[in-house]
Amino acid sequence: PPTIRSFQGGSLRGITANLDHVQSLGINCLYLTPVFLSTANHRYHPSDFMVVDPLLGGEPAFRELVDACHARGMRLVLDGVFNHTGRGHWAFTSLLDAQEQSPYRDWYLPKSFPIVAYGVERHQVNYECWWDLPDLPKLNFDNPGVQEHILDVGAHWVKEFGIDGWRLDYPGEIPPAFWKEFRARCRAESPECVTVGELFGVRPQDVGEGGHFDSLMNYAFGTCALGFTGGDVELRQDDAIGGEYEVKALDAPGFRKEYTEVCRAYQSAHAAGIGLGGGSAHPSMLMNLFDSHDTARALWMLQGDAAALRLLLLMQACAPGPPMIYQGTEVGQVGQLGIEGSGRDPHNRQAFPWHEPETWDHTTLEHTRAVGALRADSEALRRGGLRWCTATSASGTDGDDSGAGSDAAVRSLLVWERFFDDAAHGAGALCVFHSSRGARTGLVTVDT
């Protein structure tokens, strides 16, 4: 079972061997958490950015995986953890050994000498660390050597192994100008290489040609969608994640209001004359997710309500922007300790139960596959605009009515349309979602 220090096994060749399963979900891009040499099980404590961890199979296994993905028409994005290193990184071990005389002294941010990295309490470390954790010394991005090294790393994996992009971990403390150069160096090796920033909240200034990332992890979609699909259950998030990932129950008007604000922020930053995929900020360029290795699993937050999870997957497929599914969601994984236990790391990071198919939720698995096929078959769901629709019950109340007399069932009914201005681009799609566990809508008319 997962613990803070345990290794659960698994390898890159294991992923390659199971690409049939992955592709059956409609997945056309893999995002891998870190694969580089590390002393930590999750590998967010990198020891060498230029070496694939031998425990995962090393560079040969990684090349096999990239090539297998490309042979299937799939793409692969790596996780770049460049804000800090682990204590085992060769530059930091030089600092520990040589102290002030180390040629890498200025790659880090020492406060005094001698540097002490082991046997020291958090908040008492004499060098800058990520979240004051001694095992995560921060890199000094004012140092030209650090900048050049990370730029070389970014270009190396694109050029030598053909990766299709980078998901950039916690990039907010690194200067935006650096990320623009990083993107440029990677694009010089492959013009279609993408960069995705892990930034919570709504950040239109950080995406597009005027910003410094091609896309962002759109947790803002997740907070809205979880709030709507879980509106009839007691959403559990007491130890899910902190910061800006706060989920609150929403009815249909509440979702519409919250998500409109998200879309409007990015739409307003979209540069006229630049089409989607051309690098401009736009809701359709954001990577939509509702859980990940950094949050409790959605099914845990939904108190085990698999029907709500399936509705969530459908909403994700019908929203503007590519959907991101955390491994195990498709078979109903809830976390190592179950509904009653903690949803926090490391319990949300249990390995995929390849050898226990009897534990899978096959209903959710088939639903995930059907939803993936639905999105793949609909140009409108992938590239169309979004237009809200009003649902009105036979009694004359509608989902936008905030008065006390509004129909509860209709307030649980969310409707939008994915459309093209030019019908020659393809048929539109009407998307209808009902989150109530009890109330039926009865006869409803939708104004499109």
Side-chain angles (χ1 to χ4, degrees):
T3 68
I4 293 297
R5 302 295 181 191
S6 67
F7 287 79
Q8 299 181 78
S11 67
L12 293 167
R13 287 193 173 98
I15 300 175
T16 304
N18 287 285
L19 284 177
D20 282 348
H21 169 86
V22 174
Q23 199 166 29
S24 76
L25 307 175
I27 303 299
N28 57 18
C29 181
L30 281 182
Y31 148 51
L32 302 182
T33 50
V35 301
F36 301 128
L37 185 66
S38 175
T39 56
N41 51 11
H42 48 65
R43 296 174 179 81
Y44 281 94
H45 298 38
S47 299
D48 194 329
F49 296 117
M50 300 294 259
V51 176
V52 174
D53 198 322
L55 282 175
L56 298 177
E59 284 82 9
F62 181 66
R63 190 179 297 279
E64 290 172 19
L65 176 57
V66 175
D67 291 347
C69 285
H70 289 169
R72 293 168 175 262
M74 300 172 64
R75 302 188 181 192
L76 187 141
V77 171
L78 272 185
D79 200 332
V81 187
F82 301 135
N83 177 70
H84 55 265
T85 70
R87 287 178 293 197
H89 190 276
W90 47 265
F92 193 73
T93 58
S94 169
L95 179 61
L96 291 180
D97 287 346
Q99 296 288 331
E100 295 100 323
Q101 304 305 313
S102 169
Y104 300 105
R105 166 180 173 164
D106 293 332
W107 277 39
Y108 294 93
L109 296 160
K111 300 176 183 177
S112 62
F113 286 95
I115 295 293
V116 179
Y118 295 91
V120 61
E121 295 294 326
R122 185 177 180 180
H123 305 298
Q124 296 181 4
V125 189
N126 65 338
Y127 53 92
E128 293 290 333
C129 306
W130 187 73
W131 282 20
D132 289 320
L133 295 169
D135 41 352
L136 297 176
K138 289 183 65 174
L139 285 167
N140 176 17
F141 273 84
D142 287 333
N143 182 282
V146 169
Q147 293 189 31
E148 192 58 33
H149 177 59
I150 300 303
L151 292 173
D152 287 344
V153 169
H156 169 78
W157 295 98
V158 178
K159 178 181 180 180
E160 301 298 333
F161 288 81
I163 71 165
D164 301 289
W166 288 96
R167 177 267 194 185
L168 297 161
D169 182 74
Y170 204 75
E173 295 184 2
I174 297 174
F178 173 81
W179 290 126
K180 287 188 177 183
E181 179 62 23
F182 182 91
R183 179 169 64 180
R185 288 280 288 270
C186 292
R187 285 184 180 177
E189 303 299 339
S190 174
E192 294 187 350
C193 181
V194 299
T195 54
V196 182
E198 184 217 13
L199 294 170
F200 286 82
V202 180
R203 308 283 290 265
Q205 71 276 13
D206 294 318
V207 66
E209 293 300 327
H212 38 284
F213 303 118
D214 298 307
S215 182
L216 302 176
M217 298 179 74
N218 190 19
Y219 279 103
F221 167 82
T223 58
C224 294
L226 269 166
F228 175 72
T229 58
D232 271 11
V233 301
E234 184 179 349
L235 281 162
R236 189 174 179 198
Q237 54 178 327
D238 52 323
D239 65 351
I241 194 171
E244 296 176 81
Y245 197 71
E246 180 182 356
V247 182
K248 57 185 178 182
L250 296 172
D251 59 10
F255 176 94
R256 179 169 170 169
K257 177 180 180 295
E258 296 279 337
Y259 193 53
T260 293
E261 292 177 1
V262 174
C263 290
R264 183 175 291 137
Y266 290 102
Q267 193 98 30
S268 64
H270 178 62
I274 298 181
L276 297 185
S280 176
H282 192 278
S284 292
M285 303 305 295
L286 304 176
M287 191 167 74
N288 294 328
L289 70 162
F290 44 78
D291 64 358
S292 72
H293 62 286
D294 283 328
T295 74
R297 286 187 172 272
L299 191 56
W300 183 90
M301 288 187 273
L302 292 167
Q303 298 275 33
D305 190 330
L309 177 65
R310 292 192 284 271
L311 180 62
L312 187 59
L313 286 162
L314 181 61
M315 289 182 66
Q316 183 190 39
C318 294
M324 173 189 151
I325 300 173
Y326 182 32
Q327 61 86 11
T329 295
E330 75 272 22
V331 296
Q333 280 192 273
V334 70
Q336 183 68 32
L337 301 183
I339 296 297
E340 300 304 321
S342 170
R344 188 185 291 273
D345 168 23
H347 313 298
N348 60 330
R349 297 180 178 184
Q350 69 184 123
F352 189 92
W354 291 116
H355 307 300
E356 300 174 317
E358 69 278 3
T359 67
W360 298 6
D361 179 347
H362 288 275
T363 301
T364 297
L365 175 58
E366 292 308 314
H367 174 82
T368 307
R369 288 170 172 163
V371 164
L374 176 70
R375 183 177 175 88
D377 291 342
S378 172
E379 187 78 5
L381 293 183
R382 299 195 310 275
R383 298 184 180 275
L386 182 143
R387 181 161 52 212
W388 299 109
C389 303
T390 300
T392 305
S393 70
S395 64
T397 58
D398 63 62
D400 287 333
D401 183 3
S402 58
S406 64
D407 187 285
V410 176
R411 289 181 65 81
S412 298
L413 190 67
L414 180 65
V415 187
W416 68 65
E417 182 182 8
R418 302 298 306 279
F419 71 98
F420 294 110
D421 289 327
D422 187 346
H425 291 156
L430 187 66
C431 307
V432 183
F433 314 96
H434 186 224
S435 65
S436 176
R437 273 77 178 158
R440 295 179 177 271
T441 62
L443 181 64
V444 171
T445 59
V446 174
D447 182 17
T448 64

